[in-house]
Amino acid sequence: MSLSSPKNNTARIYNNKSKSKPKKNTAKKDSKISSYELCKILYQKNYANPNPLLLSQIKEENLNIILSNLTPTDLLIISEIFKKYFYFKQIEISPYNSLRQDFSSNKKYKTNKENIKENKEKQEKLRDKINKIFLAISKHLSLSNNLLSLSIINFELYSKYCLLLSKGITANKSLQALKISHCLIQLNSYESLIKSLFNHPCLSYLDLTNNNLTDKYGNIISTLITKHAQRRDQIVWSYGLRNEKPPLNAK
């Protein structure tokens, strides 16, 4: 779902030019090392050997987290990375690797229902990891000025997870694309999540595919589109007061 033309911008990087003594664990200090190196340093600090599976998921600008591959120590490391490293442009989070099946036929739909039951059982085993990762991503969203894309796939999004996401998204000013796919979302939780997007200044793409949404979710989606259309019109109007055209990447 495209809300407006995607913004063509580059990530803004914290650049503290203050001559005062740098504080411990500031973004400036951490910007001297890569996310990969920071991960290894944090492992050494915790007297543990780096998990190759976690290291393979960390790139300089992208992070792909599969929770079932991670140990409790890995979760501590990820939480610290989210607090210290603010230069990821793209983050994807999923609880495990799984096939995403189509809903186009009754046979496949029945299989998908069986998968949902199996997925619930798997997620129960990952419950503590899921709690920690949503708390960490909520804080990261509120701190980062560089994150452009967030994907959340194959989760059963309880109300507490949606509230954490809503809190982070409300404080975020950079996110352009949000994908929540193959998730189970209750209507009341869904509304709180969508409302956090009403006044987001940069969001241009929203993907809510394969979430078993019905027509009762239509009103809140319609309101979201209306809010962003009004914001776009307000920008056009404000530029028109100066007899100017808004730039193509204006939101």
Side-chain angles (χ1 to χ4, degrees):
M1 179 189 301
S2 181
L3 302 178
S4 60
S5 300
K7 187 174 180 180
N8 181 20
N9 75 340
T10 56
R12 291 165 287 172
I13 298 178
Y14 289 111
N15 184 17
N16 184 0
K17 296 183 179 179
S18 172
K19 294 183 180 179
S20 60
K21 226 176 181 181
K23 296 180 181 179
K24 258 186 174 181
N25 297 330
T26 60
K28 181 179 179 181
K29 179 180 177 181
D30 292 328
S31 67
K32 296 178 182 178
I33 61 175
S34 68
S35 56
Y36 186 89
E37 289 299 320
L38 175 61
C39 183
K40 293 199 291 185
I41 289 171
L42 290 170
Y43 268 111
Q44 292 169 2
K45 183 180 177 181
N46 286 275
Y47 306 102
N49 293 321
N51 182 353
L53 287 173
L54 177 58
L55 291 175
S56 68
Q57 297 174 25
I58 296 179
K59 308 298 180 185
E60 194 58 28
E61 294 183 346
N62 300 329
L63 179 63
N64 180 20
I65 301 173
I66 301 174
L67 291 183
S68 59
N69 292 343
L70 306 183
T71 66
T73 301
D74 297 335
L75 262 294
L76 292 175
I77 300 299
I78 286 290
S79 296
E80 285 298 304
I81 288 175
F82 277 146
K83 291 177 185 177
K84 297 173 180 289
Y85 193 83
F86 306 118
Y87 308 110
F88 293 120
K89 291 183 181 178
Q90 182 175 340
I91 295 175
E92 180 175 310
I93 305 172
S94 57
Y96 41 79
N97 285 317
S98 66
L99 293 175
R100 301 168 195 171
Q101 296 188 339
D102 197 333
F103 287 76
S104 58
S105 72
N106 290 333
K107 184 177 180 181
K108 289 182 178 178
Y109 181 72
K110 183 179 179 181
T111 304
N112 187 69
K113 288 169 74 173
E114 293 172 354
N115 281 343
I116 288 173
K117 183 178 179 180
E118 182 183 349
N119 291 349
K120 282 186 176 182
E121 294 172 356
K122 289 181 180 179
Q123 290 199 37
E124 284 299 324
K125 296 178 181 178
L126 295 174
R127 188 63 56 212
D128 185 53
K129 292 182 180 180
I130 294 173
N131 289 336
K132 288 178 179 176
I133 203 66
F134 274 94
L135 182 60
I137 194 63
S138 176
K139 292 180 179 178
H140 186 77
L141 278 165
S142 64
L143 293 171
S144 175
N145 286 333
N146 300 289
L147 185 62
L148 303 179
S149 174
L150 174 63
S151 298
I152 297 171
I153 302 169
N154 279 325
F155 280 99
E156 184 174 5
L157 290 180
Y158 294 116
S159 58
K160 59 181 177 182
Y161 303 145
C162 286
L163 287 173
L164 285 170
L165 284 174
S166 300
K167 184 177 179 181
I169 290 171
T170 300
N172 178 271
K173 304 300 178 187
S174 64
L175 195 66
Q176 295 180 21
L178 176 63
K179 178 178 181 179
I180 300 177
S181 179
H182 293 80
C183 295
L184 295 177
I185 311 174
Q186 298 300 318
L187 181 58
N188 58 342
S189 303
Y190 180 77
E191 287 182 346
S192 68
L193 180 61
I194 294 299
K195 284 179 181 177
S196 70
L197 302 172
F198 278 177
N199 298 311
H200 196 285
C202 294
L203 188 72
S204 61
Y205 181 82
L206 179 63
D207 183 348
L208 297 171
T209 55
N210 293 324
N211 289 319
N212 290 340
L213 304 182
T214 65
D215 54 1
K216 64 184 179 182
Y217 294 79
N219 286 339
I220 193 73
I221 286 289
S222 176
T223 304
L224 174 64
I225 294 172
T226 300
K227 291 277 187 182
H228 280 265
Q230 289 172 347
R231 180 168 57 83
R232 180 196 59 201
D233 292 343
Q234 180 68 26
I235 291 173
V236 172
W237 176 79
S238 63
Y239 273 87
L241 290 177
R242 302 189 295 270
N243 292 321
E244 298 175 355
K245 289 185 178 180
L248 293 177
N249 63 354
K251 292 297 181 181

